[in-house]
Amino acid sequence: MGTFSIAIHGGAGTLVKGMMTPELETKYREALKQALDTGYNILQNGGTAIDAVEIAVKHLEDSPLFNAGRGSVFTAEETHEMDASIMDGQTLNAGAVSLITGIKNPISLARDVMEKSEHVFLAGEGAMTFAKELNYILEDANYFYDDLRHKQWLEIKDTDSFQLDHSLKKDSKFGTVGAVACDQEGNIAAATSTGGMTNKKWGRVGDSPMIGAGNYANNKTCAVSCTGSGEFFIRGVVAYDVSCLMEHRGMSLEDASNEVINKRILEIGGDGGLIAVDSKGNIAMPFNTEGMYRASKSSSGVEEVSIYK
Ligand code: ASP
């Protein structure tokens, strides 16, 4: 039995001082710890990496604290449009959804696309029809309503600006969630889920549901879940870039992740972070912002729940 491990994130960015009270910080830490433990328990009981990342992300989607599932930000039309993707590093199977509404756990719908359809990526109305065929129950707008997120939206509605979650200014924090895991068999997987950006319009889709950009897994190299300025993460093909540096340049997980987050993505103007594991259970969690909600745990004794650097 090899080392097994899991890492999760709840978004990266400038965590505005003054918005974070000690009580709120405790809530974030507790939510991260719970999601982490739920995923870790699956691995400890011999479960698969793909099950562990799905369950950890579901946990984060159910929390109003993060910009995914229940806590998703408002679009320009005062609705919620969510994106998610999941990838299995053993088979290279993947599933993704974007622009979906009313689905409690977008990550499970992404997994259903992977396992119950012939396709990889379903979007908008078609994805919703697929969900209905699978008898998904739709939540109403109240389930997704959150005072703070509604206030953020009111501040910029009727303008052309859109912003990353939870900010006073454009440059604040992102709240996308993700998980990566390595199971006892050395199989790895990645999952990412988001509500995108406040006041987004025109069917804007970020990196989170794009295989290779915001999410990627391959047993040969790594499993990666990203958070940050999606447009830049798409152009940098960030998650796959980490994998390529490992595969073609022989870099370690740590070095490849750092190279991408602290050099390559910065060079094109992107900010954010990622979490990654390899099939030996190593973990990397670099970010180039002030903070990133993150947590990790491995059978070799690593355990961390952190927000700032
Ligand atoms: N990457 C996400 C997006 O652009 C945002 C985030 O990470 O919070 O949709």
Side-chain angles (χ1 to χ4, degrees):
M1 182 182 85
T3 302
F4 54 93
S5 60
I6 180 164
I8 62 170
H9 72 76
T14 308
L15 304 160
V16 181
K17 297 265 185 292
M19 279 187 89
M20 181 59 88
T21 60
E23 295 75 34
L24 194 56
E25 187 167 331
T26 305
K27 278 193 187 169
Y28 272 107
R29 286 179 184 279
E30 280 171 4
L32 287 167
K33 173 97 174 73
Q34 276 174 13
L36 184 75
D37 286 344
T38 317
Y40 188 80
N41 289 343
I42 299 266
L43 301 171
Q44 195 166 34
N45 293 326
T48 61
I50 197 87
D51 282 344
V53 294
E54 182 190 3
I55 209 130
V57 165
K58 273 173 85 168
H59 227 85
L60 296 166
E61 287 176 338
D62 290 344
S63 164
L65 293 173
F66 304 102
N67 173 21
R70 180 165 209 167
S72 290
V73 296
F74 285 87
T75 67
E77 278 78 42
E78 204 176 358
T79 59
H80 303 279
E81 287 176 351
M82 299 170 287
D83 308 326
S85 66
I86 191 162
M87 185 159 184
D88 182 339
Q90 184 187 13
T91 56
L92 300 187
N93 281 338
V97 288
S98 71
L99 304 172
I100 58 166
T101 54
I103 303 285
K104 183 167 182 266
N105 292 114
I107 200 63
S108 298
L109 187 58
R111 184 164 180 183
D112 279 335
V113 171
M114 173 170 88
E115 291 176 350
K116 298 180 182 157
S117 86
E118 294 299 307
H119 309 295
V120 170
F121 202 154
L122 301 181
E125 262 179 54
M128 294 305 297
T129 305
F130 176 71
K132 283 174 201 151
E133 282 177 18
L134 293 180
N135 299 318
Y136 271 72
I137 294 162
L138 297 189
E139 302 291 342
D140 64 17
N142 288 335
Y143 176 80
F144 298 95
Y145 184 85
D146 178 79
D147 255 343
L148 173 68
R149 296 227 151 74
H150 195 246
K151 241 176 85 203
Q152 291 167 351
W153 174 72
L154 285 174
E155 280 162 18
I156 56 169
K157 85 180 184 78
D158 304 326
T159 71
D160 273 340
S161 62
F162 55 92
Q163 71 189 15
L164 287 155
D165 176 39
H166 207 267
S167 59
L168 296 177
K169 296 243 158 40
K170 201 171 157 37
D171 57 350
S172 222
K173 97 165 173 53
F174 326 119
T176 292
V177 307
V180 291
C182 170
D183 63 28
Q184 295 189 20
E185 305 292 321
N187 292 317
I188 60 177
T192 307
S193 180
T194 190
M197 291 169 118
T198 300
N199 212 35
K200 65 183 180 176
K201 56 184 181 181
W202 303 319
R204 182 266 182 190
V205 178
D207 59 316
S208 309
M210 290 186 196
I211 299 302
N215 199 70
Y216 186 71
N218 183 340
N219 271 9
K220 277 206 288 193
T221 52
C222 55
V224 179
S225 169
C226 301
T227 172
S229 43
E231 279 67 12
F232 295 91
F233 278 64
I234 293 170
R235 288 182 226 155
V237 203
V238 166
Y240 187 60
D241 201 21
V242 176
S243 173
C244 285
L245 288 173
M246 292 177 73
E247 185 170 0
H248 303 300
R249 280 224 208 135
M251 289 173 88
S252 68
L253 182 80
E254 181 79 23
D255 289 349
S257 304
N258 272 326
E259 168 85 14
V260 171
I261 290 300
N262 291 313
K263 192 153 175 269
R264 294 161 86 107
I265 192 76
L266 281 177
E267 280 167 5
I268 60 168
D271 55 355
L274 61 80
I275 52 170
V277 295
D278 65 18
S279 60
K280 295 200 179 65
N282 294 309
I283 300 166
M285 303 195 286
F287 53 97
N288 61 32
T289 48
E290 206 174 287
M292 177 167 83
Y293 296 106
R294 64 197 186 281
S296 64
K297 189 166 179 172
S298 93
S299 58
S300 66
V302 171
E303 183 159 0
E304 176 184 347
V305 179
S306 311
I307 301 177
Y308 304 101
K309 282 234 160 73

